[in-house]
Amino acid sequence: MAVLPEQVIYMDNNATTRIAPEVLDAMMPYLTRFYGNPSSMYTFGGQVGRAINQAREEVAGLLGAAPGEIVFTSCGTESDSTAILSAIQTNPEKNHLVTTKVEHPAVKNLCDNLEIFTGRKYHVTRLPVASDGTLDLQRFKDSLTDETAIVSVMWANNETGVLFPVEEMARIARERGILFHTDAVQAVGKIPIDLKQTAIDFLSLSGHKLHAPKGVGVLYVRKGTPYIPFLNGGHQEHGRRGGTENVASIVGLGRACALAAEKMAEENTRVRALRDKLEHGLLTAIPKSLRNGHPSQRLPNTANISFEYVEGEAILLHMNQANICASSGSACTSGSLEPSHVLRAMGVPFTAAHGSIRFSLSIYNTEQEVDFVLATLPGIIAKLRALSPFWEDK
């Protein structure tokens, strides 16, 4: 028997979010009545093109960018690849990249492949993080060389929510004449961003992380930044990304960005308070549990907690039986039996890394849901520890 959405307590919003009702309403006309090609000369297509332009303005408004700096893509991964590959192609004399050890696979795996599989040998510096998940700015400065083509550092970590000082890092990179990209997929809509006040050259975002549909993203390209398209083809996106536009999803993303701007205060007050109540309650009620990540330098919606001597997969299975949705790591690595590369980089003990659960809330979560999790999870952990040969009531 299917589980109805209203019966589910959904706390995995860093993986994906529900489509906001207002977003779905904005999309529907472009899935039904207004189906013309936005590139067409006739009015029926032209009005679709105008809807895309409005969405571009709404995205730019949330980011503090100019509409002409917004390129619509299929997802955050495409945006990441486009930025990094464009930078190395427009700087063919340089073969060095700087990133971190805790990047999303969209950046991590691309950098790995550039080192291993490309005809030209690229060298990648992967900056380490401290035990609280933060970066050392001096170490970053020291990593830059005359051969560095691009720096790619996420704005907020998808597993721990830890925020990186990307604005300061971009300023430092610009002083060295180095392009700077940030994967801001987790940050956009949760914290204020004003790109015109920064030195960031490229920024990636994904619609399904902020209550828009899956299959649509954005690459911000600062005006004047050297750029080579990833997808060649037609003249769409002013020649910056070929392919007929995903109109309904683009319109939805625009509406989602406008809503995110309206809900930013709630994200940083009510949602933060729910996250803090959940985190404090679990750490207090469950012995041998620990928070992963800086206590304050992180997103307002994210809590990553390790429960020692139990397996995260077993915790999630029992939570699922109670209709509670969370994650044992990022959605893009949840199929792996290896401990999270993020927690390994932070030096989280092996006994805790396997028992890590990420809770990521949204404006749709309630205090009643938090109370239910607080009432349910301690019993699950106690039951699993009773079955563990490594626990022995430590």
Side-chain angles (χ1 to χ4, degrees):
M1 182 173 170
V3 178
L4 297 174
E6 57 266 26
Q7 297 174 316
V8 171
I9 296 177
Y10 188 76
M11 295 186 175
D12 199 18
N13 289 278
N14 284 11
T16 197
T17 57
R18 61 175 286 187
I19 296 179
E22 301 93 330
V23 169
L24 184 59
D25 288 345
M27 293 173 62
M28 286 306 295
Y30 299 92
L31 292 168
T32 53
R33 294 170 55 209
F34 300 115
Y35 53 82
N37 190 311
S39 299
S40 300
M41 293 294 293
Y42 42 77
T43 301
F44 186 58
Q47 61 192 351
V48 177
R50 286 192 292 275
I52 290 177
N53 289 336
Q54 179 181 339
R56 203 183 306 278
E57 291 175 1
E58 290 170 324
V59 175
L62 180 62
L63 298 178
E69 296 174 314
I70 303 302
V71 180
F72 289 112
T73 67
S74 65
C75 60
T77 297
E78 182 193 328
S79 299
D80 290 340
S81 290
T82 302
I84 293 171
L85 295 176
S86 175
I88 62 177
Q89 289 179 77
T90 56
N91 290 278
E93 74 285 358
K94 298 182 178 182
N95 65 347
H96 180 231
L97 297 82
V98 175
T99 185
T100 77
K101 291 186 175 182
V102 296
E103 294 297 309
H104 187 275
V107 170
K108 176 183 179 296
N109 292 344
L110 174 60
C111 289
D112 291 348
N113 290 341
L114 285 171
E115 275 193 313
I116 299 170
F117 297 116
T118 55
R120 185 177 180 197
K121 186 66 175 177
Y122 287 98
H123 171 60
V124 180
T125 297
R126 299 169 179 83
L127 299 169
V129 294
S131 60
D132 63 359
T134 57
L135 284 171
D136 183 340
L137 270 179
Q138 186 58 53
R139 192 157 191 167
F140 166 65
K141 291 179 185 178
D142 294 343
S143 73
L144 303 178
T145 75
D146 293 339
E147 301 303 313
T148 307
I150 188 169
V151 174
S152 182
V153 174
M154 61 192 348
W155 201 312
N157 186 265
N158 50 300
E159 294 191 31
T160 65
V162 171
L163 296 166
F164 291 152
V166 294
E167 293 164 302
E168 176 65 10
M169 298 173 84
R171 184 190 64 78
I172 293 168
R174 175 172 289 183
E175 290 175 351
R176 296 288 303 270
I178 298 168
L179 293 173
F180 189 93
H181 165 253
T182 183
D183 179 334
V185 162
Q186 296 295 343
V188 172
K190 296 171 188 167
I191 61 171
I193 293 175
D194 188 358
L195 289 173
K196 64 179 174 290
Q197 302 298 327
T198 77
I200 293 169
D201 300 296
F202 298 104
L203 176 144
S204 304
L205 71 87
S206 183
H208 74 106
K209 306 294 187 178
L210 66 155
H211 306 292
K214 302 169 183 66
V216 64
V218 160
L219 176 64
Y220 159 84
V221 183
R222 179 177 293 279
K223 183 179 180 180
T225 301
Y227 178 80
I228 294 178
F230 179 60
L231 287 182
N232 293 287
H235 60 275
Q236 294 89 354
E237 294 302 291
H238 304 287
R240 296 175 297 182
R241 199 266 188 184
T244 301
E245 297 90 343
N246 180 2
V247 177
S249 294
I250 287 172
V251 170
L253 176 54
R255 185 72 182 102
C257 286
L259 284 172
E262 297 172 10
K263 301 287 187 180
M264 191 81 68
E266 181 181 357
E267 187 83 43
N268 284 274
T269 52
R270 188 184 70 84
V271 175
R272 183 187 296 274
L274 289 179
R275 188 276 310 272
D276 290 346
K277 178 178 180 177
L278 175 66
E279 182 176 272
H280 176 74
L282 292 177
L283 293 175
T284 301
I286 302 174
K288 294 289 183 178
S289 58
L290 58 99
R291 177 189 59 244
N292 298 312
H294 194 278
S296 59
Q297 192 175 310
R298 57 182 166 140
L299 296 172
N301 78 315
T302 306
N304 189 304
I305 302 175
S306 286
F307 305 99
E308 290 197 89
Y309 304 103
V310 287
E311 287 288 334
E313 289 78 6
I315 300 171
L316 291 179
L317 285 172
H318 282 74
M319 289 172 63
N320 181 59
Q321 292 173 0
N323 290 337
I324 302 169
C325 301
S327 173
S328 60
S330 74
C332 297
T333 58
S334 59
S336 172
L337 296 177
E338 290 295 317
S340 155
H341 72 282
V342 174
L343 299 186
R344 291 203 311 269
M346 292 166 60
V348 175
F350 183 81
T351 55
H354 272 288
S356 169
I357 301 295
R358 180 189 68 186
F359 301 91
S360 46
L361 281 62
S362 81
I363 58 172
Y364 296 107
N365 287 115
T366 66
E367 189 162 14
Q368 290 76 15
E369 291 176 333
V370 170
D371 289 339
F372 182 81
V373 175
L374 290 175
T376 304
L377 191 53
I380 291 174
I381 301 300
K383 176 182 177 180
L384 292 173
R385 282 176 171 169
L387 298 173
S388 171
F390 303 105
W391 174 240
E392 297 178 357
D393 202 23
K394 294 186 185 296

